[in-house]
Amino acid sequence: MIRNRTAVPGGRCVEVGAQVRFEDRAWQVTGLADGRVYLVAGDGATACVLAARLTAAPGFAVIGAPAVQPVTPVLWETVPQAAQERALAWLRHIREVETGLPGGPGSGTPRPEYDPQAFTLAQREAAKARELTGLGWARVSRATVQRMRLVYGRQGLWGLVDKRHLRGPSPTGRADERVVAAVLEALRRCRGRRKTTIRQVIELTERIVTDTHGPHQVRLPARSSLYRLVKALADPAEPPGSAARTATAAGPAGGPPAALRPAERVQVVAARLGTGAVGEDGTAVTVAVTAALDQASGCVLAAVLHPEQDGPVELAVLLAEMAVPRPLRPGWPALLEQAHAGGPVRRLMSLADRIEATASRPAAVPETLVLDRGPAGVTSAHLTVCESLGISLEPTPPSAAGAPGGALRTLQVLAGLFTRHAVAARPALTASQEDRADGVYWSMPQLQDLLDEWITGVWHQRPQEQLRHPLLPRAGLAPKEMWQVLLGAAGRVPLPLAGHAYGELLPVRRSAVTESGIRLGGRRYDDACLDEHRGRGDRFEVHHHPNDPRQVFVRLPDGQLHAVPWALGEHGLRPFDELLRRRTGTVLAHRAASGGTAAVEPGGLSVYDAEAEAGQW
């Protein structure tokens, strides 16, 4: 369990009495009921706005609220591993000084010298300085502990990083990230065992790599390199073989507390759909959905479709989907119009109605994320993002892990109902028009667009059995209704992130800008903002959504992320391209069945290209 300092009630939210800026005016929040926020301006003007619409409005801000820590996963990844571990070690010590517990409130019993009920903050700082000096930390005084505590309050985990080492070589060298993660997990399991040796940690690391990724799937470095890696990653205050610094109390017998506020506890689960999709290679793929479900209201804050064989969705992608309202994302209206034109002829709602409904769809930064081992891929960079946003991470309770109950059962019901909708939305085809790829029809982007529309227009409006008050057993609420009820009961509105955070949260890779733009995943992305950087050989940060190919975000020398569209993205607006896509899939299925390849004529066109130009498709 990872508890963060701001993941407590009263964090990033709007409460009654707060001053906010909305539509270029200052307002005071005077009330909150039925999911609506009541505002009054200085000149006596009043307004009533849906909470989701208010927090997603351009220019909205809470006046006087502390600044949000920047999302800096790329900066954290550039920090040498030793500096990362040093900062994380400081984090545990600062938490113990402030709360009495290295893991934050609720993680055990304070040691006597750090009990906030018995000693002042200054006395606890002095005790920590004496402890670190005894552990061999050089030049640590009470003033040093106080300075680190204050800089952590201003800058979060990033403030604890020793900036002098940012350009130094990393002690992990070129070690595979998967091996580094396995070493950290092995160190965690061995924590508190007095007789553990580094050799035993290395052997446990090898078993973890094999169990997680399969035999011979990850190349392990030499034993000598693993020895140095373990030494570099070990906590300086708790090297292998040392006793645990604090005891961890067992969790309550009744399991985790129930969620009472919107976005208080959000669980990430995954399930398989009953329908497949056409993959990027033209073959049929099995589709899974990974969703972030708000435990209190049942709202789906994020739902990402992905090929099941590709593994879990990255946590950063889920955070971007759930924490940034769609209307604030760069280019959202144009992308929605493009997706709307490329889907089925008969829609659940018109484009105007869908824009209206999506604007009021809940979005928020969760206080606590409940994760299984499978549904979301978590790295050290993701942990840093969660720390900067004040998000706590918890494992799924052992009693519920793998059982078809709670959030998992809810997602399975959702997946089953959506599968029926996707099949019904498919147009009637003759036998000669059927695909040979197991009868699948939709591409992955089309299926994702259908899911987003269905969640907004159907699932969030559908009364659910589990959303009932005990005294009203026959009156089930819909997730959107429950969200509105809980907002009024809690008296606070959880705040989402600004639009620019969407690109910052997405996974990153480096790519050069060629004369034709940026090449990524077999696609070309181009925009006028790249003109002065073409062909120079420089490699830029490219943030991309692994399951949404319509645009990428490039960080140019001005330090800002610029949205760069897919150069051929307008194909979704041309009706005949859907026929070409399906015919191409049929040709690829024929090729796979025959085990051959397309013949190429001397003129440079394949037989299939020649047939297409001759109008035979």
Side-chain angles (χ1 to χ4, degrees):
M1 178 186 297
I2 301 176
R3 283 288 180 196
N4 291 325
R5 67 191 193 287
T6 58
V8 294
R12 276 185 46 82
C13 61
V14 178
E15 298 178 326
V16 175
Q19 300 283 335
V20 300
R21 181 165 297 280
F22 172 61
E23 292 185 347
D24 298 327
R25 296 181 65 180
W27 306 78
Q28 184 176 20
V29 179
T30 59
L32 179 60
D34 297 329
R36 291 175 171 80
V37 181
Y38 294 85
L39 307 171
V40 61
D43 58 2
T46 61
C48 177
V49 189
L50 281 173
R53 192 178 295 276
L54 174 70
T55 57
F60 170 82
V62 180
I63 299 175
V68 183
Q69 298 297 334
V71 180
T72 55
V74 178
L75 293 178
W76 178 256
E77 289 179 348
T78 62
V79 176
Q81 195 69 35
Q84 288 186 15
E85 293 301 316
R86 182 81 171 187
L88 292 172
W90 265 116
L91 173 61
R92 296 180 62 258
H93 293 304
I94 289 172
R95 282 177 173 166
E96 188 170 28
V97 169
E98 292 182 339
T99 67
L101 299 168
S107 60
T109 304
R111 289 190 286 170
E113 62 270 29
Y114 297 109
D115 189 352
Q117 304 299 325
F119 296 97
T120 65
L121 182 60
Q123 291 172 326
R124 300 198 299 272
E125 289 174 344
K128 180 58 67 177
R130 292 192 297 270
E131 177 189 355
L132 294 180
T133 300
L135 291 173
W137 290 40
R139 296 187 297 275
V140 178
S141 63
R142 175 185 171 273
T144 303
V145 176
Q146 183 185 51
R147 175 175 57 83
M148 298 299 284
R149 184 177 62 81
L150 294 176
V151 75
Y152 172 68
R154 293 192 304 269
Q155 302 179 19
L157 184 60
W158 181 249
L160 303 180
V161 175
D162 188 349
K163 308 302 189 297
R164 296 174 300 175
H165 301 298
L166 290 184
R167 297 182 180 275
S170 170
T172 61
R174 298 181 179 273
D176 192 313
E177 183 180 4
R178 295 169 292 183
V179 177
V180 174
V183 171
L184 291 173
E185 174 64 16
L187 289 170
R188 186 193 66 79
R189 294 184 187 180
C190 294
R191 179 171 175 260
R193 299 180 184 177
R194 292 180 178 275
K195 297 183 179 181
T196 301
T197 64
I198 294 182
R199 180 178 178 178
Q200 291 173 328
V201 174
I202 292 175
E203 292 173 349
L204 179 57
T205 298
E206 294 171 343
R207 291 200 300 270
I208 292 174
V209 170
T210 301
D211 294 342
T212 305
H213 305 285
H216 312 297
Q217 297 300 312
V218 178
R219 183 177 180 181
L220 292 170
R223 280 295 182 99
S224 58
S225 299
L226 281 174
Y227 184 91
R228 290 191 296 269
L229 192 60
V230 172
K231 295 284 289 185
L233 296 178
D235 188 335
E238 297 180 16
S242 64
R245 302 302 302 173
T246 58
T248 302
L260 302 176
R261 301 184 303 276
E264 179 184 3
R265 294 173 63 83
V266 176
Q267 186 164 353
V268 177
V269 287
R272 178 188 293 184
L273 288 187
T275 181
V278 181
E280 294 186 349
D281 59 354
T283 61
V285 295
T286 304
V287 181
V289 55
T290 299
L293 303 179
D294 180 49
Q295 290 187 353
S297 67
C299 283
V300 181
L301 298 184
V304 178
L305 296 180
H306 56 96
E308 189 175 29
Q309 62 268 25
D310 287 355
V313 176
E314 290 193 36
L315 179 61
V317 175
L318 291 172
L319 286 174
E321 290 287 340
M322 74 177 77
V324 181
R326 284 161 176 77
L328 295 184
R329 299 176 189 176
W332 175 75
L335 293 177
L336 181 61
E337 179 181 358
Q338 176 181 327
H340 204 80
V345 176
R346 298 183 61 184
R347 285 280 188 172
L348 291 174
M349 60 186 77
S350 66
L351 179 60
D353 290 341
R354 186 173 176 188
I355 292 176
E356 181 76 13
T358 305
S360 59
R361 181 170 170 176
V365 177
E367 295 179 22
T368 300
L369 274 178
V370 184
L371 302 172
D372 272 337
R373 288 183 177 271
V378 183
T379 66
S380 60
H382 301 152
L383 296 179
T384 309
V385 174
C386 291
E387 169 66 27
S388 67
L389 296 176
I391 301 173
S392 298
L393 299 181
E394 286 185 8
T396 300
S399 58
L408 178 58
R409 174 58 182 165
T410 299
L411 183 63
Q412 289 174 344
V413 173
L414 183 152
L417 293 175
F418 172 70
T419 297
R420 290 161 53 183
H421 168 70
V423 173
R426 168 181 168 173
L429 301 175
T430 63
S432 61
Q433 292 174 321
E434 288 284 351
D435 279 338
R436 294 178 178 269
D438 297 333
V440 297
Y441 180 84
W442 303 113
S443 66
M444 287 292 292
Q446 289 174 328
L447 203 58
Q448 179 70 61
D449 176 64
L450 281 177
L451 177 62
D452 289 338
E453 181 186 42
W454 183 81
I455 289 175
T456 303
V458 176
W459 181 261
H460 279 176
Q461 316 293 337
R462 180 178 182 269
Q464 296 187 15
E465 183 178 351
Q466 68 271 24
L467 301 179
R468 297 180 297 179
H469 192 279
L471 299 180
L472 301 171
R474 297 185 180 181
L477 295 181
K480 185 177 180 180
E481 294 172 333
M482 180 60 80
W483 180 277
Q484 294 173 352
V485 168
L486 293 178
L487 285 181
R492 58 167 63 94
V493 180
L495 291 181
L497 297 179
H500 66 82
Y502 182 74
E504 295 283 3
L505 286 168
L506 296 178
V508 187
R509 61 180 297 178
R510 291 195 173 270
S511 180
V513 179
T514 66
E515 294 296 339
S516 59
I518 295 174
R519 297 281 182 175
L520 186 66
R523 298 181 178 89
R524 181 173 63 88
Y525 298 86
D526 199 9
D527 190 71
C529 66
L530 304 177
D531 288 346
E532 59 180 302
H533 308 288
R534 299 179 189 274
R536 295 186 176 182
D538 298 329
R539 300 178 68 84
F540 298 92
E541 289 178 21
V542 179
H543 298 239
H544 65 102
H545 193 307
N547 308 105
D548 186 354
R550 295 174 295 179
Q551 64 179 357
V552 296
F553 301 89
V554 183
R555 193 184 305 280
L556 296 180
D558 60 3
Q560 302 298 317
L561 286 180
H562 297 260
V564 179
W566 180 22
L568 299 179
E570 71 279 0
H571 277 223
L573 300 177
R574 303 196 313 211
F576 69 85
D577 279 326
E578 175 64 16
L579 175 60
L580 291 182
R581 178 188 70 82
R582 292 179 50 75
R583 291 298 188 184
T584 302
T586 303
V587 170
L588 292 173
H590 276 295
R591 179 195 299 178
S594 62
T597 58
V600 178
E601 298 294 337
L605 292 177
S606 69
V607 172
Y608 306 131
D609 292 332
E611 292 179 355
E613 290 197 340
Q616 297 181 21
W617 279 10

